[in-house]
Amino acid sequence: MDKTARQITKIAREVSKFTTRSLKAEGIGAAELDFIHVVRKNPGITQAGVRSVLGIDKGACARRAANLEQKGYLIRTPDPEDKRARRLSATAKAEALKQSKAAIEAE
């Protein structure tokens, strides 16, 4: 790896650490941010859909969705076609988090 590529990698790693620390102040971890990102990109996705994208188990997905709903980042609604399933949607707070993360990275 040449010197420039190594420096770029180091900068990217530091930006990631800074972003993670800044988001923790808002009570959001990296795994939760990934979860929110999947829901924002796929409005109305089911928890099963999120599980398949992120590769997490059923219990972890349900706990994370409930936690993010409690924090005000997601809304869970019953699926009209399957009453056992839940559809996930991002809230305005989740959209603001996207803007916040972009601002942190720009810094």
Side-chain angles (χ1 to χ4, degrees), residues 6-107:
R6 192 171 344 172
Q7 289 173 335
I8 290 170
T9 301
K10 186 175 180 179
I11 290 168
R13 196 173 325 124
E14 292 302 316
V15 166
S16 178
K17 285 182 199 175
F18 180 70
T19 303
T20 300
R21 280 194 306 266
S22 298
L23 290 173
K24 281 207 185 237
E26 295 187 37
I28 295 293
E32 290 176 318
L33 186 62
D34 291 342
F35 197 99
I36 291 169
H37 180 72
V38 169
V39 174
R40 270 189 334 88
K41 292 290 184 181
N42 304 286
I45 191 171
T46 62
Q47 289 181 190
V50 173
R51 285 194 337 258
S52 68
V53 171
L54 295 178
I56 58 177
D57 66 45
K58 192 175 187 176
C61 184
R63 284 189 302 275
R64 200 163 294 152
N67 189 23
L68 288 170
E69 182 180 36
Q70 183 180 20
K71 291 179 181 180
Y73 291 101
L74 297 180
I75 297 171
R76 293 187 300 170
T77 55
D79 185 341
E81 297 155 10
D82 181 359
K83 298 297 180 190
R84 297 171 298 159
R86 300 282 182 184
R87 295 278 177 180
L88 304 173
S89 306
T91 63
K93 188 174 180 180
E95 294 298 329
L97 184 65
K98 174 188 169 193
Q99 301 304 322
S100 172
K101 183 177 184 277
I104 291 167
E105 289 174 345
E107 247 181 63

